[in-house]
């Protein structure tokens, strides 16, 4: 439970990287479940840097909710995304995905790609 709390408490990529290295040093190779929690924490940290308050699923869409209306920086986040994007209001983005992407590992992959492309 302590490890879960420590992962959830990470607020920077550096802190998350340091924690991951510490866990590997202590326990060796991390179980898939812990690795997924670390990946989710990384996505949470990246999303927060864009003002994203929540990421969810609505039907066949991955939804992104923003603290304030989207701006050019946010639009650049989705500029290289393949797929149908819809902005029903200034604080919400819907990304339509194929049904096969709604498995946890696939969703993690999609989200990692979105934030990785935006940083490059």
């Amino acid at each position: 439970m302590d490890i879960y709390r420590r992962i959830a408490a990470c607020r920077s990529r550096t802190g998350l990287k340091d924690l991951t290295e510490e866990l590997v040093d202590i326990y060796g190779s991390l179980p898939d479940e812990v690795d997924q929690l670390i990946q989710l924490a990384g996505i949470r940290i990246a999303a927060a840097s864009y003002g994203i308050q929540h990421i969810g699923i609505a039907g066949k869409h991955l939804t992104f909710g923003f603290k304030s209306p989207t701006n050019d920086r946010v639009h650049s986040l989705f500029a290289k995304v393949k797929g149908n994007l819809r902005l029903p209001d200034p604080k919400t983005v819907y990304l339509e995905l194929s049904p096969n992407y709604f498995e946890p590992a696939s969703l993690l992959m999609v989200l990692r790609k979105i934030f990785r492309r935006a940083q490059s």
Side-chain angles (χ1 to χ4, degrees):
M1 191 59 93
D2 180 53
I3 293 171
Y4 177 80
R5 283 190 200 108
R6 291 181 62 197
I7 292 170
C10 285
R11 297 288 176 246
S12 71
R13 290 186 187 134
T14 304
L16 187 60
K17 182 178 181 260
D18 292 346
L19 176 59
T20 302
E21 289 172 358
E22 178 185 341
L23 293 174
V24 169
D25 285 346
I26 294 170
Y27 300 107
S29 185
L30 299 176
D32 290 342
E33 296 84 1
V34 175
D35 185 54
Q36 283 185 345
L37 282 175
I38 291 169
Q39 289 180 53
L40 281 171
I43 290 166
R44 175 183 42 80
I45 291 165
S49 73
Y50 285 90
I52 297 173
Q53 287 186 305
H54 73 273
I55 299 172
I57 297 171
K60 60 183 178 177
H61 295 94
L62 191 56
T63 64
F64 300 82
F66 294 84
K67 291 179 189 175
S68 57
T70 59
N71 56 33
D72 290 341
R73 184 165 181 259
V74 170
H75 290 285
S76 71
L77 178 64
F78 299 103
K80 296 179 183 177
V81 172
K82 293 178 182 169
N84 296 325
L85 285 176
R86 192 164 53 93
L87 286 81
D89 64 64
K91 292 184 176 183
T92 308
V93 173
Y94 285 4
L95 172 60
E96 186 176 338
L97 297 175
S98 299
N100 56 323
Y101 284 109
F102 287 97
E103 185 171 319
S106 297
L107 279 175
L108 282 172
M109 178 197 65
V110 168
L111 290 166
R112 278 194 319 266
K113 280 186 177 183
I114 289 171
F115 291 108
R116 188 178 312 129
R117 285 181 182 152
Q119 294 167 356
S120 54

